[in-house]
C-alpha cells in the first residue's frame, strides 16, 4: 500500500491497470489487477480523468436564449463574442488558469 500511495501522489492519473503494470515492472512483484483495485477502494483513491457522461448537461441547467435570431449582420464589428474560462479550485479560491478571449 505504501508503494501505491507514493506513486499515486506523484501520478494521480494512474488508474488500476497502469498502477498494476508499474508495481509489477518496477518491483518485480506479481500483483493482480483485482488486488490493486481492492487497495484503491480501501485507500479511497480516485484517478484524475474525465468521468463517463461528462458532456451531458444537468437536468436543471439554464438554457440561455439566442439573442441574434432576428438580427441581420451587415457590417464589421457589429457583433462581438467573448469567452471567460476559469480553471481552479472553488474551495480554496485560487485560480490556476484564467483564459479570457
Amino acid at each position: 500500500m505504501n508503494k501505491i500511495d507514493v506513486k499515486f501522489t506523484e501520478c494521480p492519473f494512474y488508474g488500476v491497470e497502469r498502477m498494476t503494470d508499474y508495481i509489477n515492472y518496477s518491483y518485480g512483484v506479481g500483483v493482480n489487477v483485482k488486488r490493486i483495485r481492492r487497495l484503491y477502494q480501501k485507500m479511497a483513491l480516485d484517478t484524475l480523468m474525465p468521468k463517463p457522461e461528462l458532456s451531458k448537461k444537468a437536468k436543471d441547467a439554464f438554457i440561455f436564449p439566442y439573442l441574434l435570431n432576428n438580427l441581420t449582420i451587415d457590417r464589421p464589428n457589429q457583433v462581438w463574442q467573448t469567452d471567460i474560462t476559469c480553471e481552479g479550485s472553488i474551495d480554496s479560491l485560487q485560480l490556476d488558469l484564467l483564459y479570457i478571449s
Side-chain angles (χ1 to χ4, degrees):
M1 286 176 60
N2 190 21
K3 296 173 185 176
I4 293 174
D5 190 35
V6 169
K7 188 61 178 178
F8 191 82
T9 305
E10 292 174 14
C11 304
F13 50 86
Y14 270 21
V16 173
E17 305 238 350
R18 195 165 188 185
M19 185 64 74
T20 305
D21 292 340
Y22 169 75
I23 296 292
N24 286 335
Y25 293 132
S26 296
Y27 298 104
V29 181
V31 179
N32 194 350
V33 175
K34 291 184 271 186
R35 174 171 283 195
I36 299 295
R37 183 170 288 120
R38 181 179 52 82
L39 292 175
Y40 260 51
Q41 290 174 354
K42 187 175 184 179
M43 298 167 63
L45 298 178
D46 194 20
T47 57
L48 296 176
M49 61 180 234
K51 304 301 182 215
E53 301 180 2
L54 181 68
S55 61
K56 288 191 176 180
K57 66 177 183 176
K59 291 181 181 178
D60 58 347
F62 179 74
I63 299 173
F64 291 93
Y66 184 67
L67 301 176
L68 302 176
N69 251 349
N70 300 322
L71 180 66
T72 304
I73 302 170
D74 54 2
R75 65 181 192 275
N77 290 330
Q78 184 176 357
V79 177
W80 285 54
Q81 178 237 341
T82 184
D83 179 39
I84 300 175
T85 303
C86 300
E87 293 183 11
S89 175
I90 297 174
D91 298 334
S92 65
L93 297 177
Q94 289 181 336
L95 294 177
D96 295 334
L97 175 67
L98 176 63
Y99 176 74
I100 301 173
S101 65

